[in-house]
Amino acid sequence: MSQSALAVELSGIWKRFPGVIANSDINLKVASGTVHAIVGENGAGKSTLMKILYGMQKADEGTISINGTNLIFNSPSDAIDSGIGMVHQHFMLADNFTVLENIVLGSEPKNGIRLDFEKARKQISDIAAENGLAVDPDVLVSELGVGDRQRIEILKVLYRGAKILILDEPTAVLVPHEVDELFNTLRDLKKEGLTVIFISHKLDEVLSIADEITVIRQGSTVGSVNPHTQNVSARDLAEMMVGNELPNPEAVGDTIQAEVVLKVDNLAVFAKGGKAIVDDISFQIHAGEIVGIAGVEGNGQAEILDALMGIESATGRVQFKNEDITNKSTRHRRELGIGFIPEDRHRQALMLEAPLWENRMLGHQTRTPNAKGIWLTPRSAKADTKRIVEEYDVRTPSIDILASALSGGNQQKLIVGREMSGEPKLLIAAHPTRGVDVGAQAAIWDHIRHARQSGLAVLLVSADLDELIGLSDNIKVLLRGKFVADADPATVTPQELGTAMTGAGEVA
Amino acid sequence: MNLRRIGTSLIAPVIGLLFSLAITAIILVAINASVSTVLSSMWSYGTSPRAMSLMLNLATIYFLSALAVSIGFKMNLFNIGVNGQYVLGAVAAAVVASNLTLPKVASVTIAIFAAMITGALWAGIAAWLKVARGVSEVISTIMLNFIAIGIISYIIVRTGIGTETSLNVRGTKPIPESGMLRGSAFIDPGTSIYGFFFISIIIGIGYWFLLNRTRFGFDLRATGKSASAARTSGVQSNRMIYVTMFLSGAVAGLVGLPYLLGDTGTYSLQFPTDWGFTGIAIALLGRNNPLGIALGAILWAFLDISSGQLILEGVPREISTIMQGLIVIVVVISYEVVRRYQVKSEQTSVAKAMAKQEEVAAV
Amino acid sequence: MTYLKSRRFIGAAFTAITMLSITRTITSNGDLTSTVTIAQALVFASPIALAGLAGIWAERAGVINIGLEGMMILGTFGAGWAGWQWGVWAGVLAGVIFGAIGGLLLAVAAVTFGVDQIIAGTAINLLALGLTKFLAIVLFTDAPGGGQAQSPPIKGDIPTFTIDSIVEPLTSLHETGIFFISDLAGILAGLFYNLSLLTIITFLLFAMTSYLLWKTAFGLRLRSAGENPWAADSLGVKVVQFKYAAVVFSGMLAGLGGAYLSIASTIYRNGNTAGRGFIGLATMIFGDWRPGGTAAGALMFGYIDTLRLIDTGNQNVKGLILLGAIILFAIGGLMLRKAKRNSAIGFLLLGSVMIGAYFSATSFPPEVAQVAPYITTLLVLATASQNLRPPAADGIPYRKGDNH
C-alpha cells in the first residue's frame, strides 16, 4: 500500500438533527498508513461524523469512499465488512462477559453450532502477541481497569480484521503512562500498514501522534495541517477550532479575603476494593478566591466534588465557615449556601423529562423562591426561572419546555444560572462552560468573576486549561488522587500545566 | 401550550378505548351477538340510578387502590403488593371495629388508622428488603401478597378471631352498626353510596397537594425522574423509599374499607383479594394523576357493572374484562408513542425558536 | 470447569440428602423422602421450573418478563381447550402457541414500543386473565363435562414411565429406614416412578438452555442483548431480533408450563396457575438467572407443596419446620466460618426459634407450609441479593441508535 493512496475519503457530508445541523459539507481525506487526527470543540460534530463513517448513522448527503470505492453503510456490519473498526469513547463492553466473549461477539469461531472457545483463545492470543496487547482472555471484564478495557476494544477491532481504526477520544480516560502505551501501540499499528483516525480535543497529544490533522468547527471542516511539514502550535490549532479570537478569561485584581470558607483536611475516598481514589488531600479556599484543580480526567476530580457535597462517603474533615460539615447531609450543605455544578449534567444536574422551571427548583427545593416552609411556591419559582433564562441567555421558547428539548449548552447555562442564584458562599464547579458556545462562555466567566468580587469562593475543575489559568487564583495539580504540585496562574503556561498533569515536570 | 398538553394526554386513552371497542365488536360478531344491542344494553343499564350508585361504590375502591399504586409509581417503585396490604388492613380494621362500642366517628377513625398502619407496616417490609438487602420490590411485594393471604386464612380458619358468619363461611366477628359507615342513598333510593366515596375524594385532593405543592412531593417526583439527580439535589434516597412505601401501604390499607364498613361488616373468606391488580391497571390508565385515576376508576367500574346485564343478551359479562385488558395494553403503548412524539416536537419547537432568535440577532 | 461443576453438584446433593435424612430420622416420618413424595414433587415442580426457565430466556435478553403469569394462564387455557377437542398432544401444542402469542405481545410492547417492561407485563397478565375467563364461558359452559370456569376433560394421557426393576428394590430399601441410604433410595426411586414424558421434556429443555445460551454463538449474542445491547449493536448483532426470539420463546416455555398444569389436573380451570408464573420468576432470581439454581428453587416449591397436600398424619409440616431449622443452622455455621458474625447470629436465632416451635407444638396448620416457600424465597433473596449477577441491561428499554 503506498503512502499516498487514500484509505478514507468523505466528501460533502451533511447530517441534520431536529434543530441542529451536526455536519455541514464535511470533506475529509485520510491517507493510508497514517495517523490522522480530527480535532474540534465539544459539539463540533466529530462524533456524529465518525458514527456516519462507522455506519451507526446515515448521512443526509455526501459520499463515503473506502480505498477508492464508493460505499453506502447501512449498519456497523457494513463498515466492519469494509475493514473499518471503531473504539468508542464510552467503552462498548459487557461487564459480565469475559474478555474472550467480548472480543468474539458477533464474529464467533464456530464448531457446528458450538462456539469454539479453543480456537477463539488462540486467535486472540496471536493477535495480542503480534501487537503487544497483553490480555487474559478468560477474565471477566468487570475486574479490569480502564487501560485493559481499551486494549480489549482495540483487540476487538483487530480481531475483525480492521485496516482502518477510528478512536474516539481515546485518551480522555487514561492516565499518562497509559497514554504513552496507547501511542506506542498506534505507532506499531501504523507500521503494520493500518490507518488510524484519532479524534481528540487535546491538542498537545494530537501534535505528538498525528501525521495529519483536520480541524472541524461548527459541523464543517475548516482545514487540514501536517505537523511534520508545517510549523503549527497548539494555540494555532485552538484558534482554528474556535474561530479567530480565542477568548481569554482573565481574572482581574486580587479579591481574596481573609475569611476561610472551605477547609478540607486529609480527605480520602476509597473504591469498593479499598483502593484510594482520592488520597489524603488537604486545602482551603478563602472568600473571593478561586482555586482550580488541574488534572487528566479520571484522576479523582469527580470523587472530590461528590465527597465535598456529601454524595460520596469519604474520610477526613470538611469545614465550611468554621462549621464542621463532615457528616452533614447533602441537603444541609446546599442550604448553607454551597452551589454545585456537577461533571455529568444529564445524570446529576437535570430531570430531563421535567419542565425548565421544575429543574430550576432541583437542589434548591427547600429555599426561596422555590419553597416556603413545607410548601412549594411554583409561581415565584417560575418567575425566577424567567430571570435566569434572561440573565444567562438560555435559548428557549418557554420555561414550560422539557429540559431534554434544550441543547447541551443551553442546559448548562440553566444549571449555572441556578447554582449562582440565592447568593451562594461557595461554588463547586466542574467544567462550568463545557459544551457552551464561545459568547456564552465569556458571559459565564463574567458571572463567576462578579460573584467572586462580592466574596464567592470557588472550587473549579476544568479540562480547559486556558479557563483554569484565566479564572483561578491558585491551581492545584491532581494526579492519581493526590495533589502533586501547585501552580501560579499568573506565570504558568498551558503547556507547563499539561506537563505537570502527566506527572512529568516541575511547575513554577 | 397547556391546552395542547391536555389534548395530547387524552389521545392515548381515547385510542385505547376505540381500539378495544373495535376488538370487542369483532369478538361479539364472532360469537353471533349483536354489537349494537350489547352496547345499548350496557349503556342503558349502566346509566340507570341503581347501576350508577353501584358504579360509584366500586369506583371508590378502585380509586383508592390506584392511588396507592401510583404513589409508588411516581418514584419508580412498583408496589405490586397492594393486594396483601389491603387484605391485612381490612382484617385489622374488622377486628378492631368489631370489638369497639364507641360513637361512630371514633370507631370509624380508629378502624381507618388500624387499616392504614397495618398496610404501611406490611409495605414497610418490602421497603426494608429493598434498602437494607437490595431485594427488588417487584418480587418481594408479590411474595408478601401470598404470605398475607396465608396469614389471613390462618387467622380466620384456625383462631378465635374467626367465627361462622354465614353458612359455611368463616369471617371476623360482625362490626356493630355503630362502627359502620354505610353512607346515604342519594342517587338511587335503594342503594347507598359508601361514606368512603367522600373520604376518597378528600384523599385524592390530599394526594395532589402532597405531590405537587409540597417539598416532599417534589423530592418524590424528582427521585422518580432521575434518582441520581435527586440524590445530588439533597434527597436521601433510602429515606424516600421508606416514606413512599409507608405512604403507599397506608393508602392501600384503606382499599377494603369502603366495602367492609359500607357493606359486609365482616372480613370473610369471600372478601375479594385482587383489587390491587385492578389498581395497577387504573393507575396506568390515569397516568398517576388523581383526576385521571378517578376517570379510569369510573370507566373500569362502569364496564364491571354495566356488563352485569349482558347475560340477558346471551353474552358473558366477562366481555368487560377483555375490554379492560385491551384498554390497558393499548393505552400504555399509546402513552409511550405520544410521549416520544411530544419530546420530539418540543425539540423541534426549541430549534425553531432558536433559529428565529438568531435571525433577529443577525439583522 | 465441568469437573468442578459436577463436584459442586454432587456436594450440594449430598448435603441436601443428609439434612433430609437427619430430619426424617428425628421425626421418624418416612413420607419426607418416600418414592411417592418425590415423584409428586417433580410434578408440582415442573410447571414452576418451566416458568423460571421462561424467565431466564427473556431476562437473559434483557426483557423483564412479569407477564409470565399471564402467558402461563394462556397456556393452561390453550391446553384445556385443544386437549378437550383433539387430545392431549394438541393441548400441549396449543398451550405453547398461546403462550407464544403472549410473548409476542410483550415483545411488541416492550421491545418495539419501548413501554416499561413491568408495566407491559402487568398489562398482559390482566388481558390474559380476562380473555381466558371470557373464552371459558363461551366455549365450555354448554360442553358436556365443562362449566363456566372449567373445560371438559382433556382427552388422552401423556405417557408416564415407571421402571419397576429400579423402583421396587429401592422402595423396599427406603422402608428399611437406614440413615442416608434409605433416603437416597427413596429419592432415586421417586425419579423413576410415574415419570411423565412432559417432566422429561422439561429436563431436556433445561439441558438445552444451558447448552444453547452458554456454549454457542447464538447464546452469546442473545445474552449480549441483555448485558450491553449497544455494544452488541455496534458489532453487528441484530439486537431487536434476538430480543424478539427470546421473549417469544419465553412465552412458549411459560405456555408449556401452563399446559403441564392443565394436563396434570386433566382440565383447564380458572385460576389454576395460582401465581405460579410469579413463583417461577422468584425461582429464576434466586437461581441467579441460571438454569441449575432455578431448577433447585422450583424443586423446593414442588417439594413443600407436595408435603403440604399429602399430609395425612398432620406431621409433614412439622418435619418441614425441623428441616428449615437444620438448614438455617447449617447456613449460620457456614457464615460463622466465613466470619460474617451478624448474618450468622441472624440465621442461628431464626433456627432456634424454629427448633423451639418444633418442640413446643404437636402439629402445625397447613397454612405454615402454604407460606413457607414464599418466606424462604424472601429469605434467600435477602441474604443473596448482593451476590446475584442479573444481566446488566435487564429491564432497560433498548432503542437502536440511542446511546445509553
Side-chain angles (χ1 to χ4, degrees), chain A residues 1 41 49 62 118 122 130 145 199 222 229 237 265 276 280 364 369 379 385 405 410 421 444 449 459 478 504 508:
Chain A
M1 234 182 265
E41 281 195 295
L49 183 65
E118 274 319 304
K122 186 166 179 323
E130 261 170 48
I199 300 166
V222 291
T229 58
L237 282 177
D265 297 299
D280 193 27
H364 302 252
R379 193 169 301 162
T385 312
N410 282 306
S421 305
I444 290 176
R449 268 195 223 108
L459 179 64
L478 184 72

Side-chain angles (χ1 to χ4, degrees), chain B residues 20-58:
Chain B
S20 80
L21 277 175
I23 302 265
T24 310
I26 294 171
I27 294 174
L28 288 175
V29 170
I31 62 168
N32 288 324
S34 152
V35 178
S36 59
T37 325
V38 165
L39 292 183
S40 70
S41 143
M42 279 177 81
W43 182 256
S44 65
Y45 175 66
T47 49
S48 71
R50 180 175 153 72
M52 297 235 294
S53 304
L54 293 173
M55 196 172 86
L56 287 184
N57 283 345
L58 202 51

Side-chain angles (χ1 to χ4, degrees), chain A residues 51 54 76-77 80 88 92-94 96-97 101 104-108 110 113-115 117 140 142 156 160, chain C residues 211-212 214-217 220-221 223-224 227-228 230-238 389-392 403:
Chain A
K51 281 182 183 163
Y54 189 57
S77 333
I80 294 169
H88 301 268
M92 292 281 205
L93 296 171
N96 291 334
F97 278 7
E101 289 174 324
V104 300
L105 177 63
S107 339
E108 306 86 352
K110 280 181 243 179
I113 63 161
R114 193 185 166 85
L115 201 166
F117 286 94
L140 282 181
S142 58
K156 253 164 81 174
R160 284 165 179 73
Chain C
Y211 181 78
L212 265 186
W214 278 273
K215 297 287 182 230
T216 69
L220 185 67
R221 292 178 188 197
R223 286 185 297 123
S224 75
E227 294 289 350
N228 189 340
W230 303 275
D233 178 56
S234 78
L235 297 173
V237 174
K238 306 248 181 283
R389 263 178 185 273
N403 274 328

Side-chain angles (χ1 to χ4, degrees), chain A residues 18-20 311-312 329-331 334-335 340 342 346-351 353-355 358 361-363 365-366 371 373-376 378 395-397 400-402 404-407 410, chain B residues 1-2 5 209-219 221-223 225-236 339 342-344 346-354 357-358:
Chain A
V20 197
I311 299 165
E312 180 129 27
S329 68
T330 304
R331 173 148 297 163
R334 281 185 170 274
E335 283 172 347
F340 182 37
H346 281 183
R347 223 174 60 77
Q348 290 195 290
L350 290 172
M351 303 181 286
E353 299 216 353
E358 285 198 334
M361 301 166 95
L362 189 69
Q365 61 260 49
T366 56
I374 64 157
W375 301 101
L376 296 179
R395 305 279 174 86
T396 174
D400 289 315
I401 213 96
L402 301 183
S404 62
L406 294 191
S407 68
N410 282 306
Chain B
M1 189 70 222
N2 271 331
R5 267 206 190 143
F209 262 93
L210 183 73
L211 253 77
N212 295 293
R213 284 292 179 268
T214 68
R215 278 164 40 177
F216 169 78
F218 184 87
D219 286 353
R221 286 182 292 128
T223 311
K225 285 187 165 132
S226 167
S228 52
R231 196 157 147 235
T232 308
S233 85
V235 178
Q236 288 175 302
R339 189 189 67 86
Q342 229 168 353
V343 168
K344 226 180 213 161
E346 289 209 346
Q347 275 168 349
T348 323
S349 84
V350 170
K352 269 188 199 149
M354 281 182 66
Q357 280 179 12
E358 249 142 52

